Amino acid sequence: GQQLNQSPQSMFIQEGEDVSMNCTSSSIFNTWLWYKQDPGEGPVLLIALYKAGELTSNGRLTAQFGITRKDSFLNISASIPSDVGIYFCAGQGGRDDKIIFGKGTRLHILP
Amino acid sequence: DGGITQSPKYLFRKEGQNVTLSCEQNLNHDAMYWYRQDPGQGLRLIYYSQIVNDFQKGDIAEGYSVSREKKESFPLTVTSAQKNPTAFYLCASRDRVSQPQHFGDGTRLSIL
């Protein structure tokens, strides 16, 4: 079945550093989504991308829909403590516009 | 406020017992979803419903059951046939095809 490869699995960074994570797939998607999940909470939608090549920002977050429609990346600039959490990518497409989730990138910020 | 409400936040199940997790949305969304989340496993789809009185199995439906009698409600029953039910359960909904899913805050189910 369809799978998303999300990397890295975890990251340890210093406050103020920039962060980059990505998702790749062997399948084409019509939509790429990025979510953030805090401990014990549900994922919250950060950015939705609908067109190949699209680059979208949401504050310090920037995400791009890969030109091949098989990948996407998320960048976080100047990280702050509240950025800690798990970031999920998701690709949407095909029959029923099914959504497939990556396994997440766990972001840790070192004191 | 519009949103997706899951209850309870924490639930404990005894051996051989069925338990039901509630999911209610006031977003007027047509489609609703149930996911199971285990550490390091990401989100796995249990059941989904695109319209009232209709639902389909997801990737891991065995040991679970659902109903969709009302547009705003999509309860999930974890039956005694589910031998490893301890997990974080997430409900989601979306307005229509091509729109993103939005999630509730989850229910954590544990075995006594």
Side-chain angles (χ1 to χ4, degrees):
Chain A
Q2 292 178 307
Q3 288 189 346
L4 290 186
N5 298 310
Q6 185 172 352
S7 64
Q9 187 173 355
S10 64
M11 303 181 71
F12 292 81
I13 64 168
Q14 298 282 350
E15 183 178 349
E17 287 185 12
D18 296 343
V19 172
S20 185
M21 60 192 76
N22 69 83
C23 276
T24 61
S25 174
S26 58
S27 303
I28 290 174
F29 291 107
N30 297 325
T31 304
W32 281 96
L33 306 168
W34 285 92
Y35 291 86
K36 180 186 181 232
Q37 185 178 28
D38 291 325
E41 304 291 332
V44 174
L45 181 67
L46 298 174
I47 292 178
L49 302 157
Y50 298 103
K51 290 172 57 177
E54 180 181 356
L55 184 71
T56 297
S57 293
N58 177 8
R60 293 177 296 105
L61 278 61
T62 301
Q64 184 158 29
F65 192 141
I67 198 70
T68 65
R69 295 168 61 194
K70 293 182 179 180
D71 63 328
S72 178
F73 72 75
L74 175 71
N75 288 341
I76 305 172
S77 63
S79 59
I80 60 177
S82 62
D83 290 335
V84 166
I86 303 176
Y87 292 80
F88 289 100
C89 64
Q92 202 165 281
R95 192 176 60 183
D96 292 337
D97 207 33
K98 189 175 181 180
I99 187 169
I100 308 294
F101 286 89
K103 292 190 175 182
T105 295
R106 187 179 292 273
L107 181 62
H108 305 265
I109 295 184
L110 300 170
Chain B
D1 286 345
I4 302 168
T5 302
Q6 290 188 240
S7 62
K9 183 71 172 174
Y10 300 95
L11 187 58
F12 297 90
R13 195 192 89 171
K14 294 179 180 179
E15 294 287 341
Q17 188 179 46
N18 293 351
V19 292
T20 297
L21 285 61
S22 170
C23 179
E24 303 276 331
Q25 54 98 0
N26 60 4
L27 301 168
N28 200 34
H29 286 175
D30 289 320
M32 298 185 73
Y33 305 80
W34 274 106
Y35 293 91
R36 171 180 171 140
Q37 186 176 28
D38 296 285
Q41 293 287 328
L43 303 176
R44 293 187 290 171
L45 182 64
I46 304 172
Y47 268 98
Y48 66 102
S49 168
Q50 294 182 307
I51 196 169
V52 174
N53 292 322
D54 188 49
F55 49 83
Q56 284 79 41
K57 293 182 179 180
D59 301 320
I60 55 165
E62 186 174 349
Y64 300 96
S65 66
V66 294
S67 62
R68 187 84 187 278
E69 297 177 1
K70 299 186 295 183
K71 186 176 185 177
E72 59 269 25
S73 178
F74 191 39
L76 173 74
T77 296
V78 184
T79 74
S80 57
Q82 173 50 247
K83 298 306 180 187
N84 184 25
T86 298
F88 191 51
Y89 291 86
L90 287 160
C91 177
S93 70
R94 69 173 174 180
D95 189 10
R96 58 189 182 277
V97 167
S98 84
Q99 294 301 305
Q101 292 182 13
H102 297 271
F103 287 85
D105 281 341
T107 292
R108 186 166 298 280
L109 175 62
S110 302
I111 297 300
L112 287 176

